[in-house]
Amino acid sequence: MTKQISIFALLICFAPASALAQRDLSGNWAALYHEDQPHRIPGPDLGDYTGIPLNDAGRLKADSWDASILTLREHQAKPHPSTYSLRGPANIRITRLFDPVTQQTIGYELFGTFGQATRQIWLDGRSHPPTHAAHTWAGFSTARWDGDALEVTTSHLKAGWLQRNGVAHSDRATMTERFIRHGNHLMVVTMVDDPIYLEEPFIRTTNWILNPDQEVRRTQFDVVDEVAVRRRGEVPHYLPGSPDATRKLTEFAAKYKLPADGARGVTATLYPGAVRPLSSPRFKGSDPSPSGEIQVVHVQGNVYMLVGAGGNIVVQAGEEGVLVIDTGTVARDADVLAAIRTLSEKPIRIVINTHVHADHTGANETLAATGKALSGNAPGNSGLALSSARVLAHENVLKRMSAPSGQPSPRPFGAWPTETFFGEDKELFFNDEAIQLIHQSGHTDGDVLVFFRRSDVVASGDLFTTLTYPVIDSQNGGTVQGVIDGLNRLLDLTIPKDKEEGGTYVIPGHGRLADEADVVEFRDMVTIVRDRIQDLVAQGKTLAEVKAAKPTADYDGRYGATTGPWTTDMFIEAVYRAMTRKP
């Protein structure tokens, strides 16, 4: 017996310190407001950016923010994102998550916070999702024990805010937290790193006290019309240099007799002398697929997204066969077909093109040739089997691909649509699902939105992308107002679940899986830039002067480019020419 006790004691001595130091974080925790109470309960003053290491883009983003934007239906009912949720006026409940077989603790669930962006914090070694996965208010959190502190890393966050006065972070932000328990007290150290709006990580602490008797209940918000008369698509914001913006920039510093730079989050004013915080290595996320491989993502219902073949490809698979929206580049046709075959061996029946560009239509001929339509498209043709899949598009796509008789066409005949429609929409019913094709010129004059009504998924084509400024292909009939109209029409189709997340998913022409909140962020950006350039044009500014004014400065880090097929200058020029074009 003595020998067994000695062996046990020896094992204890050599056990990892981090394992012994782990402390259970579960319980009901009440917020302590002895730190930053004015910031956390009533909210900070407009123009108060003290302590936040903003870059110039972050300051312009915050300066442009108008609180009345929160009256828009699509901006209501949002929870506080994980980057801010522990700061709001609400309590939390932390619960252990157990492996159903071993009953080991594999994580924690953090429930509560204002608006309840409930999140799971995983301790079981799982990887973060790939870059094309959807982003959420809670983000995706993994953790490890470092001594008695639980270190949490969070990625895949939606564009959110650091303060409730317009100080924002982008959807490229990541967060590192340390949860440290001392008896009945819990301290959370939060560090947010955002390459778009911050010069360096932003660090703050929040404190809680255990309160087992309190209840933490679920809340639900509904959107309402707060302003009776408002133009469709209006996005409230302050124009740079306007009287309202100037007052916002100066009144906080004047009220408290602060130096202007100190009130505006200029990094050099944040620390005494040469003291600087330690910055952590930037979290890169993960992408488990080999480089260049086409990745298949189940969206919801019968709908899948294929990533990596040019533009995003959408596949609906069911008993009747396969429907494909856009086909990628011609160079990846065999890879696209192989990816589709991982979902279904049934014939490709229908191909839909959202617009004319070759990164979305390049493999039309290959995919159509391998498929077989169910029948002809006219009454009485039910027994006529077609030798290939139907290729559907708006008639403007066919016009752009073909040419008048006797002239060479820009695209081979085999890539052309076999059927077109010329009205505002076209309806299909396939694989037990109603499908709407909605014509909405913007990126080109042949753009269509494709809405899967049962699966609740919309394929947007290049009217919406998460990677770049919208491409205005004026040679093919594109207009900036058409893009804005298309984004607003897309928002008409989308209905989010509770907390303005999920619900209707949107597959963009390029980039990651999105939902309504992501489209709202993009729509707001395009509208604000349009309004700024329109204001500069009204002041009589030339194109060179408009570019010098940098009307896109707060968005360039996220969407801009100085080289490549679509640059920031090209986007500004397209908007400027639209604002100066005579009727």
Side-chain angles (χ1 to χ4, degrees):
M1 181 67 177
T2 304
K3 183 177 180 181
Q4 290 176 334
I5 293 175
S6 300
I7 293 173
F8 179 74
L10 188 63
L11 291 174
I12 290 291
C13 292
F14 285 97
S18 60
L20 293 176
Q22 294 176 16
R23 297 183 178 183
D24 184 21
L25 302 180
S26 59
N28 291 354
W29 298 94
L32 296 175
Y33 299 107
H34 59 280
E35 288 186 316
D36 305 326
Q37 189 274 345
H39 275 206
R40 296 176 59 185
I41 303 299
D45 292 338
L46 294 177
D48 175 9
Y49 312 151
T50 53
I52 304 175
L54 293 172
N55 58 23
D56 290 340
R59 269 185 291 276
L60 178 57
K61 175 79 168 175
D63 293 345
S64 302
W65 184 79
D66 183 343
S68 62
I69 198 172
L70 300 178
T71 65
L72 298 180
R73 295 180 67 178
E74 56 268 32
H75 277 277
Q76 297 174 26
K78 292 179 178 178
H80 288 166
S82 288
T83 46
Y84 186 78
S85 60
L86 297 182
R87 307 291 294 175
N91 298 322
I92 60 173
R93 181 175 68 234
I94 300 177
T95 309
R96 284 191 184 192
L97 299 173
F98 297 100
D99 183 283
V101 176
T102 67
Q103 291 300 301
Q104 289 179 304
T105 300
I106 59 172
Y108 286 98
E109 179 182 84
L110 197 158
F111 172 81
T113 72
F114 189 82
Q116 295 173 356
T118 304
R119 60 172 164 151
Q120 287 74 42
I121 299 171
W122 299 107
L123 276 161
D124 55 0
R126 66 185 65 192
S127 299
H128 282 246
T131 55
H132 55 262
H135 288 210
T136 64
W137 299 115
F140 188 90
S141 298
T142 57
R144 67 179 186 89
W145 285 100
D146 181 15
D148 60 358
L150 183 69
E151 184 176 273
V152 181
T153 300
T154 302
S155 64
H156 291 75
L157 290 156
K158 286 185 179 296
W161 52 93
L162 300 173
Q163 284 191 166
R164 299 198 314 270
N165 64 350
V167 179
H169 67 74
S170 76
D171 61 350
R172 300 285 173 84
T174 56
M175 178 173 64
T176 303
E177 298 161 290
R178 293 178 70 84
F179 287 72
I180 306 169
R181 180 173 181 172
H182 298 281
N184 290 339
H185 290 263
L186 176 67
M187 182 175 71
V188 184
V189 182
T190 302
M191 180 166 62
V192 179
D193 185 14
D194 183 10
I196 307 301
Y197 292 131
L198 296 177
E199 286 193 349
E200 60 186 36
F202 171 47
I203 305 171
R204 59 188 167 195
T205 60
T206 309
N207 292 277
W208 307 79
I209 188 167
L210 191 66
N211 185 357
D213 296 330
Q214 74 176 358
E215 291 188 0
V216 184
R217 298 181 177 179
R218 182 178 183 270
T219 60
Q220 185 169 1
F221 303 136
D222 293 323
V223 298
V224 297
D225 290 319
E226 294 190 6
V227 178
V229 180
R230 172 168 269 153
R231 290 181 295 107
R232 182 174 184 270
E234 178 183 348
V235 178
H237 61 97
Y238 291 130
L239 290 168
S242 66
D244 287 338
T246 301
R247 182 173 63 254
K248 175 182 176 180
L249 302 185
T250 57
E251 64 182 6
F252 171 75
K255 177 181 177 181
Y256 293 100
K257 298 181 174 58
L258 297 174
D261 284 353
R264 291 182 52 72
V266 176
T267 306
T269 70
L270 303 185
Y271 313 106
V275 176
R276 306 285 289 184
L278 297 175
S279 59
S280 65
R282 180 159 292 160
F283 177 72
K284 298 295 185 181
S286 63
D287 196 334
S289 298
S291 177
E293 180 181 330
I294 293 178
Q295 301 167 56
V296 179
V297 181
H298 180 229
V299 181
Q300 59 188 9
N302 289 343
V303 178
Y304 300 79
M305 177 174 75
L306 274 55
V307 181
N312 288 334
I313 295 170
V314 183
V315 175
Q316 184 230 38
E319 288 300 315
E320 291 185 280
V322 176
L323 180 149
V324 180
I325 300 175
D326 291 337
T327 58
T329 60
V330 66
R332 301 302 302 275
D333 56 0
D335 298 326
V336 170
L337 189 58
I340 293 172
R341 289 296 168 238
T342 66
L343 299 174
S344 175
E345 290 293 335
K346 291 183 177 292
I348 297 173
R349 305 292 191 186
I350 302 171
V351 173
I352 298 172
N353 291 149
T354 60
H355 62 286
V356 69
H357 289 154
D359 57 340
H360 291 260
T361 61
N364 274 9
E365 187 170 7
T366 299
L367 266 61
T370 62
K372 189 174 184 180
L374 287 172
S375 67
N377 197 34
N381 281 351
S382 59
L384 177 61
L386 302 181
S387 59
S388 63
R390 302 163 62 189
V391 181
L392 308 182
H394 189 266
E395 66 173 356
N396 288 338
V397 174
L398 179 58
K399 290 178 181 178
R400 301 293 180 182
M401 282 192 178
S402 58
S405 298
Q407 298 183 21
S409 61
R411 300 292 296 279
F413 177 77
W416 295 3
T418 61
E419 299 175 36
T420 64
F421 69 101
F422 57 86
E424 291 188 0
D425 64 350
K426 181 179 178 64
E427 297 174 351
L428 302 173
F429 198 90
F430 188 68
N431 284 328
D432 201 30
E433 180 161 32
I435 304 167
Q436 289 179 282
L437 281 65
I438 302 169
H439 177 230
Q440 179 61 61
S441 295
H443 169 59
T444 70
D445 59 8
D447 295 332
V448 295
L449 303 169
V450 184
F451 182 23
F452 295 91
R453 292 176 54 174
R454 181 183 290 274
S455 297
D456 202 14
V457 177
V458 185
S460 72
D462 281 357
L463 278 167
F464 168 59
T465 170
T466 67
L467 300 181
T468 67
Y469 287 121
V471 178
I472 315 298
D473 185 357
S474 57
Q475 290 187 339
N476 284 312
T479 64
V480 64
Q481 188 57 50
V483 168
I484 293 174
D485 292 343
L487 293 170
N488 283 311
R489 195 165 189 182
L490 179 55
L491 292 175
D492 289 340
L493 299 175
T494 56
I495 300 177
K497 289 172 63 177
D498 188 27
K499 313 298 186 297
E500 294 290 302
E501 184 173 86
T504 308
Y505 275 98
V506 179
I507 301 175
H510 298 265
R512 64 173 175 82
L513 184 61
D515 59 20
E516 183 186 90
D518 303 302
V519 180
V520 169
E521 184 74 14
F522 193 77
R523 186 280 311 268
D524 290 356
M525 176 272 293
V526 183
T527 305
I528 289 170
V529 171
R530 188 273 314 270
D531 290 352
R532 289 175 181 172
I533 295 177
Q534 192 171 45
D535 180 62
L536 292 168
V537 168
Q539 297 175 36
K541 303 294 185 183
T542 65
L543 175 58
E545 290 171 327
V546 168
K547 289 181 179 180
K550 298 182 178 180
T552 60
D554 44 344
Y555 299 107
D556 286 346
R558 179 61 179 81
Y559 300 106
T562 56
T563 60
W566 188 248
T567 64
T568 303
D569 278 354
M570 294 165 69
F571 174 56
I572 293 174
E573 288 173 17
V575 180
Y576 177 85
R577 298 195 190 288
M579 297 299 101
T580 56
R581 185 177 297 118
K582 294 181 180 180

